[in-house]
Amino acid sequence: MYKIAVLGPYDSIYGFATLGLETYPVEDAKQGAETLRRLADGEFAVIYITERLAAELSGEIARLRERILPAVILIPGISGNTGQGVEQVKKCVEQAVGSDIIFG
């Protein structure tokens, strides 16, 4: 059975544990990269990652996007929304349907 993980700074992800998701707090990009690789090779179908950490791990995330699983989904952190998550969804929609259908 596949699981869902949340990766990022502790203050940004601790609330997800109340939803039954497995949280993996990291303190820096190096620890984040190591944890992301371990989660991707494990039983996780979805990995939520804070936008700020994802910006530091863009190469790792790009490699994972070539695989079927896990889906890596960007979420805002405690410091706010950078817009990266919305941009990634927009790119996925464009790739899937061949056109930008998200306006705004």
Side-chain angles (χ1 to χ4, degrees):
M1 181 172 175
Y2 289 115
K3 300 186 279 186
I4 300 173
V6 185
L7 180 64
Y10 176 80
D11 290 346
S12 294
I13 67 168
Y14 71 91
F16 288 95
T18 61
L19 300 173
L21 305 179
E22 293 191 33
T23 57
Y24 294 87
V26 296
E27 296 183 21
D28 57 40
K30 181 181 178 192
Q31 184 183 19
E34 292 168 359
T35 304
L36 180 60
R37 281 191 290 272
R38 185 169 40 88
L39 296 174
D41 291 335
E43 302 174 342
F44 293 93
V46 177
I47 300 173
Y48 291 104
I49 184 169
T50 59
E51 291 174 332
R52 191 163 305 253
L53 180 59
E56 297 178 51
L57 304 178
S58 59
E60 293 286 333
I61 293 171
R63 282 189 285 282
L64 291 176
R65 292 206 189 277
E66 296 173 4
R67 297 169 42 177
I68 295 172
L69 290 177
V72 178
I73 301 170
L74 280 54
I75 58 173
I78 197 166
S79 59
N81 186 350
T82 67
Q84 276 187 299
V86 173
E87 191 61 34
Q88 288 298 324
V89 169
K90 189 175 178 179
K91 285 180 184 177
C92 289
V93 169
E94 286 179 26
Q95 184 178 9
V97 299
S99 177
D100 180 6
I101 62 169
I102 300 174
F103 303 106

